[in-house]
């Protein structure tokens, strides 16, 4: 199931690593992702954040629980921050994914020259085969 949600996990980590000491609730994550065209309910965002906490990419935010209402307390307790390791891993993953895209572009650029080279090889091999047949008694 994680592979199917990889885009969501990357987008969530993008939100947390955009600025230093970002502190977000699952609802704020859901809203931010919606602006980027990724539909994720607050409940699903909370579940994804909880998974990222288990994997040590995020941690529960250390906020002062002295709030005026129970609703505000629940909102305060359900906030998350990126861990140092989680931020570092996300930056490295982002670089690897960018390099993967660059590699695809380079490979596409080389396809033309590779096709020309293969045509030359085929032509020479065909000529050699014809020469070998004509040399036969």
């Amino acid at each position: 199931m994680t592979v199917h949600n990889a885009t969501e996990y990357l987008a969530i980590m993008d939100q947390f690593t955009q600025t230093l000491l970002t502190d977000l609730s699952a609802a704020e994550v859901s809203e931010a992702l919606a602006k980027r065209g990724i539909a994720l309910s607050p409940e699903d965002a909370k579940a994804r954040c909880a998974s990222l906490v288990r994997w040590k990419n995020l941690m529960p935010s250390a906020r002062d629980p002295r709030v005026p209402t129970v609703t505000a307390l629940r909102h305060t307790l359900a906030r998350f921050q990126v861990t140092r390791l989680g931020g570092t891993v996300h930056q490295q993953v982002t670089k690897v994914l960018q390099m993967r895209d660059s590699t695809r572009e380079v490979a596409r650029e080389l396809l033309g020259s590779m096709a020309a080279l293969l045509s030359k090889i085929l032509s020479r091999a065909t000529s050699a085969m014809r020469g070998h047949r004509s040399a036969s008694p």
Side-chain angles (χ1 to χ4, degrees):
M1 191 70 151
T2 303
V3 172
H4 300 294
N5 303 323
T7 302
E8 294 168 359
Y9 284 110
L10 287 170
I12 290 168
M13 288 302 295
D14 283 344
Q15 288 304 128
F16 281 98
T17 58
Q18 284 180 353
T19 60
L20 188 62
L21 300 176
T22 300
D23 176 75
L24 298 170
S25 69
E28 291 167 332
V29 168
S30 176
E31 289 171 19
L33 295 184
K35 291 177 185 175
R36 295 175 54 187
I38 300 171
L40 190 66
S41 71
E43 294 79 19
D44 287 339
K46 186 175 181 181
R48 303 288 186 279
C49 288
S51 293
L52 288 164
V53 167
R54 278 195 318 277
W55 302 329
K56 308 294 188 227
N57 294 73
L58 297 179
M59 63 182 173
S61 181
R63 287 197 142 206
D64 187 357
R66 289 176 276 174
V67 290
T69 65
V70 172
T71 303
L73 176 63
R74 285 182 50 200
H75 179 74
T76 299
L77 294 177
R79 297 184 71 79
F80 305 93
Q81 286 182 320
V82 69
T83 62
R84 179 181 286 173
L85 179 61
T88 301
V89 168
H90 182 69
Q91 288 172 350
Q92 291 175 353
V93 165
T94 301
K95 285 179 185 176
V96 167
L97 291 174
Q98 289 170 350
M99 287 180 3
R100 177 197 69 187
D101 293 338
S102 298
T103 303
R104 285 183 184 168
E105 290 172 17
V106 170
R108 287 183 192 134
E109 292 171 3
L110 294 176
L111 285 178
S113 61
M114 288 174 62
L117 182 60
L118 289 172
S119 292
K120 285 181 185 178
I121 292 170
L122 180 59
S123 177
R124 287 182 182 171
T126 303
S127 295
M129 290 297 286
R130 285 185 192 144
H132 180 66
R133 285 186 193 154
S134 61
S136 298

